[in-house]
Amino acid sequence: MGTSSVIHAVFSAELGTKKGSNLNLLIGLLQKGLEASSHHSDAYSQLIHKALHVNQLSTEEQRELASSIAPDTDKCSAVQRAKYAELRLEQLADTKDRELSLYTQLIENLVYLLWRHVQYYTVYCKDPTEGAGGEPLPKKLLSANHDYIKNVSFVSDLGGLYHSFETETRKFM
């Protein structure tokens, strides 16, 4: 997934048009950004690996990479061609690294916007059945489950989970 698909998603009219889809735009962009970031990370790793092992590339691949730096690579020695190819791979890796940092910034900003949306919901949204003076809806939902939350012992649940996992793994040994 390239940069153009994420840019297209930002300006796409279809992502946020459905009724009740307040977060569809943010979540869709976050998914696309994560996919693109993963793709660019893989491509960056491959370029670095090729740059470190440029001698393992075929002569044709080295010639193709070197031709973008030196115009007449047919007359160059194999060592010079390998150096030119390594230089080109490092340039491509540097470009991928910059793109990856931009995707990271994009993802951080989207997570921040998502967090602010959730924070606004938890602080200001009221239950519509109680009118304007009602308690914020998330607080009301949490207080309804407060007794249940109090009685849950997280540590004991984890201990029981660990114990059952341990006994199940012993069966297979």
Side-chain angles (χ1 to χ4, degrees), residues 148-160:
Y148 173 74
I149 292 170
K150 263 184 166 176
N151 294 330
V152 171
S153 172
F154 184 71
V155 176
S156 66
D157 288 347
L158 283 179

Side-chain angles (χ1 to χ4, degrees), residues 1-3 32-50 92-104 107:
M1 170 174 289
T3 308
K32 288 179 185 281
L34 288 170
E35 290 170 6
S37 176
S38 174
H39 173 73
H40 277 70
S41 178
D42 292 342
Y44 175 75
S45 298
Q46 290 173 358
L47 286 171
I48 292 296
H49 183 266
K50 282 184 179 181
L92 292 171
D94 186 47
T95 302
K96 285 291 178 194
D97 185 42
R98 281 186 262 137
E99 288 176 0
L100 193 56
S101 68
L102 290 173
Y103 276 113
T104 303
I107 291 167

Side-chain angles (χ1 to χ4, degrees), residues 103-166:
Y103 276 113
T104 303
Q105 277 185 316
L106 174 72
I107 291 167
E108 287 174 354
N109 288 331
L110 288 170
V111 168
Y112 174 74
L113 289 173
L114 194 59
W115 171 252
R116 292 294 296 188
H117 184 84
V118 170
Q119 181 188 21
Y120 181 85
Y121 171 76
T122 58
V123 172
Y124 296 108
C125 289
K126 308 286 184 199
D127 188 0
T129 59
E130 292 187 9
E135 187 176 11
L137 189 58
K139 288 182 182 176
K140 184 177 179 180
L141 292 173
L142 284 175
S143 65
N145 292 327
H146 185 67
D147 293 331
Y148 173 74
I149 292 170
K150 263 184 166 176
N151 294 330
V152 171
S153 172
F154 184 71
V155 176
S156 66
D157 288 347
L158 283 179
L161 180 66
Y162 176 75
H163 179 69
S164 65
F165 176 74
E166 191 176 79

Side-chain angles (χ1 to χ4, degrees), residues 43-77:
Y44 175 75
S45 298
Q46 290 173 358
L47 286 171
I48 292 296
H49 183 266
K50 282 184 179 181
L52 292 174
H53 302 97
V54 73
N55 293 332
Q56 295 176 357
L57 296 176
S58 69
T59 308
E60 186 60 35
E61 286 177 313
Q62 287 182 1
R63 188 174 291 133
E64 184 180 325
L65 287 166
S67 67
S68 63
I69 293 180
D72 200 17
T73 57
D74 293 334
K75 296 177 184 175
C76 294
S77 69

Side-chain angles (χ1 to χ4, degrees), residues 78-90:
V79 175
Q80 285 179 324
R81 193 176 314 120
K83 287 289 183 190
Y84 287 143
E86 183 179 3
L87 181 63
R88 180 62 182 154
L89 286 168
E90 288 173 358

